């Protein structure tokens, strides 16, 4: 029996990943008809990851030269686009061919270039153009991912989000507007997905903490005509919200609170509180403190709604566990949490009745709701 245990040990010690990592095994797989498709697929997927940064920069260049907007008006020729964009014919050809390869553009039979469906969709997503331009700072921070992971040196995103880092002290009106416009641009999609997953039926007054320029509240007030609202954010940001509600004619339904949500008690009077893209900007200690104050501000039976991009948890998600996880790390204070982690923090704050609706689009938002016990 002892003699037979050697081969068994070797079999148990076999590791598929080590075998696949050997060049001779890869060569063999590429020759075997049954395994050839797997080797080709793996190779293509790996190269897709490798060239992902270049693809994003091609998109950035197309946006910077205004190619998508020009082609939205009408299809155009290579020569005309080169002239209007100030590029040589050779370089314009290179950019357009890359756009076609990425299925952002298409080349018609008459030789003119036009928008493909994916390219048109970029122009139709609110806030996406601003985010593409803003990502340049993120990409510069990601140019040395090892340094970013070690936490050595300042990042550009930390500078941009000084709004978050210093709790509003010394934030200039221009910076507050830049922050709020960037967030408000993408907030339409967030509001849409949040309101599809969470019903506000029965809610009389909703307080949006860290509500920015009021994009989410405006959508909620539109969907629920009998709803009244409260918005709390920094003074310079609240001014932008005030302008929004005045323009939409809903200012009489909203009470504004120009203050930081990081200090002092939250206002009472709402039977539901929303935290939309707020928690993932902050470290655990700040989040725990905010949830505790939200618990105090709510009446028994009051609801708390958390909506933001969340980690896939035990099943890592390509959008949130790659893009948003590294983005919030580059901010310096942020952290992407899973629905389970957010639910756990809500329980620690005293909430129960926790629900985690199925996520529709993880790259837009996920939702967790909870209730203050009666």
């Amino acid at each position: 029996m002892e003699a037979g245990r050697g081969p068994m040990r070797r079999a148990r010690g076999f590791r598929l990943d080590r075998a696949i990592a050997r060049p001779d095994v890869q060569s063999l797989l590429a020759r075997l008809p049954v395994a050839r498709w797997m080797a080709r697929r793996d190779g293509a997927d790996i190269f897709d990851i490798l060239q992902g940064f270049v693809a994003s920069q091609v998109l950035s260049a197309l946006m910077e030269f205004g190619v998508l907007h020009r082609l939205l008006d009408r299809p155009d020729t290579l020569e005309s686009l080169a002239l209007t964009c100030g590029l040589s014919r050779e370089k314009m050809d290179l950019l357009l061919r890359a756009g076609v390869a990425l299925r952002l553009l298409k080349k018609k039979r008459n030789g003119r270039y036009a928008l493909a469906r994916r390219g048109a969709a970029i122009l139709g997503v609110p806030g996406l153009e601003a985010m593409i331009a803003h990502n340049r700072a993120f990409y510069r921070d990601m140019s040395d991912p090892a340094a970013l992971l070690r936490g050595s040196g300042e990042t550009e995103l930390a500078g941009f989000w000084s709004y978050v880092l210093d709790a509003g002290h010394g934030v200039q009106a221009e910076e507050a507007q830049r922050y709020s416009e960037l967030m408000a641009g993408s907030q339409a999609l967030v509001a849409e997905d949040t309101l599809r997953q969470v019903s506000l039926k029965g809610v009389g007054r909703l307080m949006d903490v860290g509500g920015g320029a009021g994009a989410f509240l405006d959508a909620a007030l539109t969907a629920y005509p009998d709803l009244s609202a409260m918005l709390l954010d920094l003074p310079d940001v609240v001014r932008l919200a005030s302008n929004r509600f005045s323009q939409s004619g809903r200012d009489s339904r909203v009470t504004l609170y120009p203050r930081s949500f990081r200090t002092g008690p939250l206002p009472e009077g709402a039977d539901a509180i929303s935290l939309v893209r707020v928690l993932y900007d902050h470290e655990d200690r700040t989040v725990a403190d905010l949830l505790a104050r939200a618990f105090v501000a709510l009446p028994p039976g009051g609801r708390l709604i958390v909506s933001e991009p969340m980690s896939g948890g035990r099943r890592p998600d390509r959008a949130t566990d790659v893009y948003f996880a590294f983005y919030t790390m580059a901010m310096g204070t942020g952290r992407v949490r899973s629905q389970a982690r957010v639910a756990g923090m809500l329980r620690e704050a005293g909430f129960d009745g926790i629900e985690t609706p199925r996520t529709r689009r993880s790259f837009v938002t996920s939702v967790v709701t909870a209730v203050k016990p009666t």
Side-chain angles (χ1 to χ4, degrees), residues 20-96:
I20 291 177
R22 288 168 48 185
D24 59 326
V25 172
Q26 282 294 311
S27 178
L28 176 62
L29 290 174
R31 295 195 302 271
L32 294 174
V34 177
R36 190 177 300 154
W37 70 271
M38 181 177 68
R40 287 178 178 173
R41 186 191 65 183
D42 287 349
D45 288 347
I46 292 167
F47 189 79
D48 192 51
I49 295 172
L50 179 65
Q51 64 96 39
F53 178 77
V54 180
S56 68
Q57 298 312 295
V58 168
L59 171 59
S60 181
L62 288 168
M63 299 304 298
E64 183 172 347
F65 286 109
V67 174
L68 300 189
H69 281 283
R70 296 180 194 281
L71 295 180
L72 182 62
D73 295 332
R74 65 181 187 280
D76 209 348
T77 64
L78 165 62
E79 290 75 17
S80 175
L81 287 167
L83 183 63
T84 47
C85 294
L87 294 177
S88 69
R89 187 184 188 282
E90 178 186 7
K91 296 298 175 61
M92 193 75 237
D93 181 56
L94 185 148
L95 179 59
L96 293 175

Side-chain angles (χ1 to χ4, degrees), residues 92-347:
M92 193 75 237
D93 181 56
L94 185 148
L95 179 59
L96 293 175
R97 287 173 61 85
V100 171
L102 294 173
R103 292 188 290 166
L104 300 171
L105 311 176
K106 58 184 178 182
K107 190 174 183 180
K108 301 172 73 69
R109 289 183 178 180
N110 61 7
R112 291 176 180 266
Y113 287 88
L115 274 185
R117 188 182 76 244
R118 183 180 292 179
I122 289 175
L123 302 182
V125 176
L128 185 53
E129 290 184 69
M131 185 57 70
I132 290 170
H134 168 71
N135 268 351
R136 294 176 186 173
F138 179 33
Y139 294 150
R140 285 190 287 270
D141 289 338
M142 284 293 292
S143 64
D144 188 351
L148 180 62
L149 286 162
R150 294 189 185 104
S152 56
E154 291 293 321
T155 63
E156 282 197 45
L157 284 185
F160 180 87
W161 295 107
S162 60
Y163 167 89
V164 172
L165 292 174
D166 64 8
H169 302 301
V171 173
Q172 301 299 315
E174 181 181 348
E175 184 178 0
Q177 182 170 355
R178 185 167 49 130
Y179 156 79
S180 294
E181 287 177 350
L182 180 62
M183 288 298 95
S186 60
Q187 205 78 335
L189 287 179
V190 177
E192 179 182 326
D193 278 19
T194 303
L195 294 174
R196 281 180 178 174
Q197 296 178 66
V198 178
S199 172
L200 297 180
K201 186 177 180 180
V203 175
R205 176 169 292 181
L206 172 67
M207 176 165 65
D208 196 21
V209 176
F216 174 72
L217 268 190
D218 210 25
L221 291 169
T222 301
Y224 295 87
D226 296 329
L227 181 69
S228 64
M230 304 157 66
L231 184 145
L232 186 149
D233 213 320
L234 297 174
D236 287 323
V237 179
V238 165
R239 291 191 191 99
L240 300 176
S242 178
N243 293 335
R244 171 187 286 273
F245 294 126
S246 294
Q247 292 172 7
S248 66
R250 299 188 181 94
D251 49 331
S252 62
R253 297 168 61 190
V254 184
T255 304
L256 302 175
Y257 293 85
R259 67 180 76 164
S260 170
F261 61 71
R262 297 184 66 174
T263 56
L266 296 178
E268 298 182 357
D271 47 355
I273 292 177
S274 55
L275 296 166
V276 181
R277 289 196 166 190
V278 172
L279 301 188
Y280 77 154
D281 284 345
H282 300 279
E283 61 186 1
D284 283 354
R285 185 183 306 172
T286 302
V287 170
D289 177 65
L290 176 57
L291 294 180
R293 285 183 287 116
F295 184 87
V296 172
L298 283 169
R303 299 173 63 196
L304 183 68
I305 302 162
V306 178
S307 178
E308 63 186 36
M310 297 183 191
S311 161
R314 290 182 294 179
R315 299 182 64 182
D317 174 75
R318 186 182 179 97
T320 56
D321 286 293
V322 179
Y323 178 87
F324 284 104
F326 276 79
Y327 185 98
T328 53
M329 177 173 58
M331 287 171 55
T333 62
R335 178 182 176 185
V336 172
R337 300 171 181 86
S338 66
Q339 284 183 310
R341 175 58 182 148
V342 173
M345 298 185 81
L346 289 170
R347 290 190 189 93

